[in-house]
Amino acid sequence: DIYPDLAAVKAVFKKLVESIRPGGRLIACWDHVHVQEAARSASVPVITYGRPGSGARFTADRIRIQAGRTQFE
């Protein structure tokens, strides 16, 4: 890997979030606490998705993979 540790990965993602231009949006998977931490530095609206109970705005329930397709409710 090119990053020496988790702190380095988190720092890069924080910079990425901070580089989103005005008028942009951050779309983030809210299942992961590290993503939530990085999203705190966003100066643009954050649109969240994730598993039920994650606190995300959009969630998928009853996820199934069948015949090579992913289905959810």
Side-chain angles (χ1 to χ4, degrees):
D1 202 348
I2 61 172
Y3 302 104
D5 55 27
L6 180 59
V9 174
K10 290 167 66 171
V12 168
F13 275 94
K14 184 175 185 273
K15 286 182 183 178
L16 175 65
V17 167
E18 292 170 349
S19 73
I20 300 171
R21 293 182 286 192
R25 303 283 184 275
L26 172 63
I27 301 173
C29 180
W30 222 234
D31 293 345
H32 306 284
V33 67
H34 301 301
V35 172
Q36 294 175 22
E37 290 172 6
R40 286 190 199 120
S41 63
S43 60
V44 296
V46 179
I47 300 168
T48 60
Y49 68 93
R51 294 180 301 229
S54 66
R57 178 176 175 196
F58 297 99
T59 60
D61 199 10
R62 299 183 186 142
I63 302 169
R64 304 175 299 288
I65 300 174
Q66 190 172 8
R69 296 181 180 181
T70 304
Q71 300 175 334
F72 58 90
E73 295 178 20

